[in-house]
Amino acid sequence: MPKQISEDAYNELKYSFLVNKEHEWENRQRAFKDVLTGYPNGILFSDCLERAITEAQADGSTVVVLCLRLGGIEELDCTTEVKEKFIVEAGQRISEVLRRCDTVARAGFSEYMVLAKDFVRLSAINNVVNRI
């Protein structure tokens, strides 16, 4: 027969469990999100790309991947904090011109990846590239 525990012990175990679950969630977020920008990282982007390709093969839709490099950031004569602010701002500006269904991810220090789906015309893709 199970042993009874006090209400205090039960509450302590419950609290410990909730704290562990919170840490587990935070670690999962760190594993798939870029710490600086909060955008998906390369691991999550790869997963999204695999799913998009599978869906496109099934329904005949299109998948477009854009690789963007913010050139010259490493050579700028400024603090790391200023460079990071520039990188965050660049990501926000990229996101602003994309559709809600598109994905932007940070792939490296000064690199972003964009996953866009369901384009019917090449001119629509060109419009996105020009806006970026």
Side-chain angles (χ1 to χ4, degrees):
M1 183 166 194
K3 184 179 177 182
Q4 293 283 342
I5 61 172
S6 70
E7 186 174 337
D8 287 341
Y10 171 78
N11 287 334
E12 190 173 316
L13 282 171
K14 183 178 169 184
Y15 175 76
S16 177
F17 174 78
L18 293 174
V19 167
N20 284 336
K21 281 295 182 188
E22 185 175 321
H23 286 156
E24 181 181 312
W25 182 83
E26 289 172 358
N27 287 336
R28 187 172 299 235
Q29 288 293 101
R30 282 190 207 111
F32 298 111
K33 297 278 182 148
D34 177 67
V35 176
L36 180 64
T37 63
Y39 291 121
N41 63 16
I43 296 168
L44 184 55
F45 183 83
S46 294
D47 185 56
C48 292
L49 179 58
E50 282 183 39
R51 277 189 270 137
I53 290 171
T54 300
E55 290 171 9
Q57 289 171 334
D59 64 16
S61 61
T62 58
V63 175
V64 176
V65 176
L66 304 174
C67 304
L68 309 169
R69 184 170 188 283
L70 310 173
I73 291 178
E74 292 87 357
E75 293 81 31
L76 289 176
D77 186 26
C78 58
T79 65
T80 301
E81 183 179 329
V82 171
K83 291 177 185 179
E84 289 175 348
K85 285 181 182 179
F86 180 83
I87 289 166
V88 170
E89 178 71 23
Q92 290 170 345
R93 289 183 181 197
I94 293 167
S95 292
E96 288 172 1
V97 300
L98 298 176
R99 303 168 302 171
R100 287 193 179 272
C101 62
D102 299 333
T103 301
V104 62
R106 184 161 175 236
F109 180 73
S110 60
E111 298 165 349
Y112 283 97
M113 302 288 283
V114 174
L115 173 62
K117 303 182 286 187
D118 302 326
F119 280 99
V120 178
R121 296 179 319 273
L122 183 60
S123 62
I125 298 168
N126 289 334
N127 288 338
V128 170
V129 172
N130 289 332
R131 286 194 313 245
I132 291 174

